[in-house]
Amino acid sequence: MQHRITVLGAGYTGAVAAGRLAKRLRHEDVAITLVNAEPDFVERVRMHQLAVGQDLKPRPFSEMFAGTGVELRLARVTGVDVDRKTVAVTDANGSEELSYDTLVYALGSGWNAQGVPGAAEHTFEIASRPGALRLRERLARLDAGQTVVVVGGGLTGLEAATEIAEARPDLDVALAVRGGLGDWLSPKGRTHLRKVFGKLGITVYEHAAVTGVDADHVATADGKTIPAAVTVWTTGFVVHPIAKATALEVTGTGQIVVDETMRSVSHPDVYAIGDAAYAMGSGDKPLRMSCASGVPMAWQAADAIAARLVGGKLPDTSLRYFNQCISLGRKEGLIQYVTADDRAVQAVLTGRLAAVYKELVCKGAAWGVANPTLGLPTRRRVTRERAAAGPAVKALG
């Protein structure tokens, strides 16, 4: 009998977790199924590059997981029943239920219109490949001098605004932020950010909470009307709604509450990683939605699952942050060093070197997904279930 491990979602976290499990456990003992709606890996951290016309390297899962023992199931997850331990999926052939012994929930998040009137109808998002491609097609049709307004001053907003301004210097690019520009950065970080924005000619509307969006403008809480031929919405993410519809313990925002091993606090056969999970990091602060959080969470979950199956030592690594990596176009970057609980310190890395650093981080993350079983110990231990069944299996033979 094989222990059935089902991983839902093949973003950075799900793909990494599946590969790490395949490396830790014997193929004879476990059956690992990775469920994803798309056949290729999406480098979500590069969607702003895709949106301005840059082509990304194709990364088919069929090639990534060939020979690893991971079975790829191309299907859309439509529901999870944690009491019956089943997952409902739909593919080109119809609907089906998959049974599991251990579930790794990594369905991630999507863009969040925040309930702002007109945002869902009149804005473009870059939290997904379809969204980035839709924006790419629209930007290509813009004439010189037209205005693109990026709403949201987080990492995604900063990267989107600078990428568009660098790729299309003929456009009038603006950024509307609720607070101050880069107000969470150190003074050195904020100074460099303003310098780059000035060099790229980006207009910044600070303390300008957007309260409404129309086809040709956005309105702010202070009464401003900002012209916009295109509005790009980057104000945050919302998790996939499936978890909230289950019996799992979730937060008000639908994230699955997990312990330090990424195990559900209500259902011990379920693990949640990435944006879908509510996990505590250093300083007893919840980890933010990001690739920087998701990949270590995937490592932690995979190692904990393997340890529990073979009777090994559970991982006790405290998840922490080291820096925030921000690309500011292809030639500029900002690496803001942070405390373990993600608070900015004085040290920063800027300029071309920072851009190279960020590029290496992105390439490293993609390499880790594309080579899921490389770089880990090759010794796979026998699961306790298989060890217990050993004498019976021999007797039958």
Side-chain angles (χ1 to χ4, degrees):
M1 291 179 59
Q2 289 179 302
H3 186 94
R4 298 163 300 178
I5 302 175
T6 300
V7 182
L8 304 183
Y12 288 98
T13 58
V16 166
R20 198 172 180 95
L21 285 165
K23 190 70 171 181
R24 297 289 194 210
L25 300 166
R26 298 197 323 161
H27 303 165
E28 302 93 328
D29 299 349
V30 296
I32 303 171
T33 302
L34 178 60
V35 183
N36 199 62
E38 297 187 54
D40 302 314
F41 173 66
V42 177
E43 288 188 80
R44 190 171 177 179
V45 297
R46 293 190 188 274
M47 289 300 97
H48 55 288
Q49 295 175 238
L50 184 64
V52 299
Q54 298 170 35
D55 292 324
L56 305 182
K57 179 181 178 181
R59 299 181 185 277
F61 288 121
S62 58
E63 295 179 9
M64 289 184 187
F65 288 100
T68 65
V70 175
E71 178 191 353
L72 178 64
R73 179 65 188 273
L74 293 179
R76 183 170 59 88
V77 179
T78 58
V80 176
D81 189 328
V82 292
D83 295 320
R84 293 176 53 237
K85 299 174 73 169
T86 60
V87 177
V89 300
T90 301
D91 60 16
N93 298 316
S95 300
E96 186 183 346
E97 277 193 344
L98 307 177
S99 297
Y100 66 83
D101 297 306
T102 297
L103 181 71
V104 181
Y105 187 104
L107 289 179
S109 63
W111 76 296
N112 188 2
Q114 305 282 0
V116 174
E121 297 83 5
H122 300 298
T123 68
F124 293 79
E125 55 91 4
I126 55 172
S128 67
R129 180 159 53 187
L133 290 173
R134 179 171 167 260
L135 175 59
R136 175 179 178 143
E137 189 274 335
R138 182 68 183 96
L139 289 175
R141 291 189 286 109
L142 287 183
D143 295 326
Q146 290 190 282
T147 300
V148 176
V149 176
V150 179
V151 180
L155 301 184
T156 306
L158 299 181
E159 294 191 332
T162 51
E163 200 74 49
I164 294 169
E166 182 186 84
R168 290 292 305 273
D170 59 320
L171 297 177
D172 182 2
V173 180
L175 178 72
V177 298
R178 181 179 292 274
L181 179 64
D183 54 9
W184 76 93
L185 300 169
S186 67
K188 288 182 180 179
R190 292 195 297 272
T191 297
H192 183 70
L193 190 61
R194 290 187 182 278
K195 177 183 174 183
V196 174
F197 269 61
K199 189 188 304 182
L200 291 172
I202 301 171
T203 302
V204 181
Y205 296 91
E206 297 183 89
H207 308 288
V210 173
T211 55
V213 183
D214 214 324
D216 60 356
H217 70 272
V218 300
T220 64
D222 58 1
K224 286 191 179 71
T225 297
I226 306 172
V230 171
T231 301
V232 183
W233 198 263
T234 69
T235 62
F237 304 103
V238 61
V239 299
H240 200 290
I242 284 180
K244 202 168 187 177
T246 70
L248 291 164
E249 182 175 334
V250 299
T251 65
T253 58
Q255 288 178 293
I256 299 169
V257 183
V258 297
D259 64 15
E260 64 278 3
T261 66
M262 305 301 121
R263 193 183 204 182
S264 164
V265 297
S266 63
H267 291 73
D269 46 18
V270 177
Y271 292 73
I273 53 179
D275 292 355
Y278 183 81
M280 305 307 290
S282 294
D284 205 30
K285 290 173 60 176
L287 298 173
R288 59 181 164 89
M289 292 184 180
S290 65
C291 184
S293 305
V295 172
M297 292 166 78
W299 295 338
Q300 194 91 324
D303 291 353
I305 292 169
R308 287 186 169 112
L309 287 177
V310 304
K313 182 182 177 183
L314 287 172
D316 57 1
T317 304
S318 176
L319 302 187
R320 56 153 298 160
Y321 296 101
F322 296 93
N323 52 46
Q324 294 182 9
C325 304
I326 311 169
S327 66
L328 302 173
R330 297 299 89 204
K331 301 174 183 176
E332 276 280 2
L334 170 60
I335 309 302
Q336 174 66 66
Y337 294 97
V338 298
T339 59
D341 61 353
D342 211 28
R343 290 175 292 115
V345 298
Q346 288 300 314
V348 296
L349 182 65
T350 61
R352 179 63 180 167
L353 188 57
V356 172
Y357 185 109
K358 172 64 187 291
E359 179 62 20
L360 290 174
V361 168
C362 292
K363 285 183 176 178
W367 187 93
V369 174
N371 300 273
T373 60
L374 292 182
L376 292 172
T378 56
R379 181 170 178 260
R380 298 182 177 92
R381 294 180 59 185
V382 179
T383 63
R384 288 186 291 185
E385 293 174 25
R386 175 68 69 170
V393 171
K394 288 180 181 178
L396 289 172

